[in-house]
Amino acid sequence: LDARTCDLSLLPEQHSDDPPVPFSYLNKRVANENSLALCHLTYTNEQTHQIVRENLHHSRFLGEEGEPHGPRYCPSFEAKLIRFPERTRHQIWLEPEGLTSNVIYPAGISNTLPEDVQVEMVRTIRGLEHAEMLYPGYAVAYDFVDPRQLTASLQTKALPGLFLAGQINGTTGYEEAAAQGLMAGCNAALWCKSQPPFVLDRADGYIGVLIDDLIHQGAVEPYRMFTSRAEYRLSLRADNADTRLTRKGAAVGLVGSTRAAVTHDVQHAIEAGADLLRDIVLSPSKWEAAVGVVVRRDGYAGPTWVCCGDIGVDQRHRSFDGVICTRVAFLSCVTQQMTC
């Protein structure tokens, strides 16, 4: 949509995180934190829904029996109306496509209706009554390879040296495609150098879960990664991805020296902090007196994380200033990486 034809003043604003948090531990701040994009929220209504219902016979997302096709986890607007007929409205996020762009993407109303119907539908929505559509919604149909024909390195079994990644393997989603592209590209390079493939298993990370699911179970519908698919999801977390995977990536040339050094320092700080907490051993009564919380009274002296499991590292540090004053220089790093 052309942002200049949308009346965003009528709609609730959705601000970015303040302050924004970088994705990488290598960055302390987001570079453009003072010029973040602003989204707005609006909703469809019964008039919007009626226009769509009257034109469902034009939709490319519906099968011969009127059942919606397409990814289950990224449904078209037509699919949402069919699956949830009781809903009187669906939310739409109006997302600017850039800091200097006049293009707004209305997330939540993807569809394959004729262009004139799409314009009529959009203009029933609050804030978009006079909106000009720059590009209509559309569908893409594509074939895919049964991923059970691939090895764990994403190499095709039938044609050695050919590696596949993304939707061609039956997946849907940006992250899923990016994960496969990283692994397929790495393994293609290793294959050219006659080196062993780089494979992550289900305990290493979600990339390992995704690839293992694909090559063993196939894809009867567009595959999307969920935490619920991982048996080890309690240990596969964003806050330990660096310590889990950096060393493995460095071994095959995917990690530069700066990232490797930072991760090494973080790992060392975590191990030192763990040793510190193990070293502080007191009886339950002394823990209660020092920390100010009720701890397990089993008659045995214990280390910090046994007796005071709900207390963060930084709080334990403050409680034992005199005891550990010579070993706390690294705790500011440890606090962000580990609570026991």
Side-chain angles (χ1 to χ4, degrees):
L1 304 178
D2 187 337
R4 296 166 294 189
T5 63
C6 303
D7 190 354
L8 302 179
S9 65
L10 301 175
L11 307 175
E13 297 178 345
Q14 178 68 31
H15 294 269
S16 302
D17 291 342
D18 186 20
V21 179
F23 282 112
S24 172
Y25 286 141
L26 297 184
N27 300 321
K28 302 302 181 184
R29 300 172 57 187
V30 173
N32 62 327
E33 63 182 2
N34 295 321
S35 57
L36 300 175
L38 180 67
C39 295
H40 291 80
L41 177 64
T42 188
Y43 294 89
T44 62
N45 51 61
E46 286 289 6
Q47 185 181 359
T48 317
H49 300 180
Q50 186 59 35
I51 292 172
V52 175
R53 292 191 186 101
E54 292 173 355
N55 289 276
L56 284 176
H57 58 285
H58 292 300
S59 175
R60 298 295 184 91
F61 276 127
L62 304 184
E64 294 181 358
E65 299 179 356
E67 290 298 316
H69 290 173
R72 184 194 311 193
Y73 309 108
C74 188
S76 66
F77 188 45
E78 302 101 294
K80 287 192 283 190
L81 292 187
I82 293 172
R83 290 175 181 163
F84 308 104
E86 73 284 357
R87 294 285 299 274
T88 58
R89 68 176 189 172
H90 292 273
Q91 70 177 22
I92 303 171
W93 288 108
L94 301 180
E95 304 170 350
E97 295 210 343
L99 295 175
T100 59
S101 173
N102 289 318
V103 180
I104 282 181
Y105 176 68
I109 52 171
S110 62
N111 67 91
T112 61
L113 299 174
E115 185 171 347
D116 60 325
V117 175
Q118 293 191 39
V119 172
E120 182 182 4
M121 174 191 75
V122 165
R123 290 180 177 173
T124 64
I125 298 169
R126 181 171 173 79
L128 307 181
E129 292 86 353
H130 305 286
E132 294 292 334
M133 187 168 64
L134 300 176
Y135 311 103
Y138 61 93
V140 176
Y142 58 92
D143 293 326
F144 74 102
V145 171
D146 185 338
R148 291 174 294 183
Q149 301 177 36
L150 305 175
T151 68
S153 67
L154 297 181
Q155 180 177 203
T156 58
K157 297 177 181 178
L159 185 57
L162 175 63
F163 295 78
L164 302 180
Q167 287 181 312
I168 195 172
N169 290 343
T171 62
T172 179
Y174 298 112
E175 295 85 355
E176 289 80 359
Q180 294 171 74
L182 177 66
M183 300 302 288
C186 174
N187 282 316
L190 293 173
W191 185 86
C192 291
K193 298 166 68 176
S194 299
Q195 295 183 7
F198 178 44
V199 175
L200 297 174
D201 66 28
R202 302 181 72 90
D204 291 327
Y206 285 104
I207 291 178
V209 176
L210 179 144
I211 294 177
D212 188 72
D213 281 351
L214 290 175
I215 66 175
H216 289 109
Q217 301 177 26
V220 296
E221 63 177 326
Y223 178 98
R224 176 148 285 180
M225 186 73 254
F226 294 109
T227 56
S228 59
R229 298 187 190 272
E231 302 87 344
Y232 306 102
R233 54 187 171 274
L234 294 182
S235 60
L236 302 182
R237 306 188 308 275
D239 66 344
N240 66 9
D242 55 343
T243 55
R244 280 188 290 111
L245 298 172
T246 302
R247 187 176 302 174
K248 294 178 182 293
V252 292
L254 292 178
V255 174
S257 58
T258 300
R259 182 180 297 275
V262 170
T263 303
H264 176 270
D265 292 343
V266 169
Q267 184 67 54
H268 177 73
I270 293 173
E271 292 170 355
D275 290 341
L276 170 64
L277 296 179
R278 290 190 190 98
D279 290 346
I280 304 175
V281 178
L282 297 174
S283 66
S285 59
K286 290 184 177 180
W287 275 121
E288 288 187 13
V291 182
V293 297
V294 176
V295 299
R296 187 173 61 196
R297 286 184 172 275
D298 53 11
Y300 295 96
T304 316
W305 52 36
V306 173
C307 294
C308 305
D310 294 332
I311 303 173
V313 175
D314 55 341
Q315 185 174 341
R316 298 172 203 184
H317 165 217
R318 290 195 297 270
S319 301
F320 289 89
D321 227 22
V323 180
I324 60 175
C325 60
T326 61
R327 303 178 66 185
V328 298
F330 53 82
L331 276 177
S332 60
C333 297
V334 176
T335 301
Q336 298 302 318
Q337 291 290 324
M338 174 180 134
T339 54
C340 303

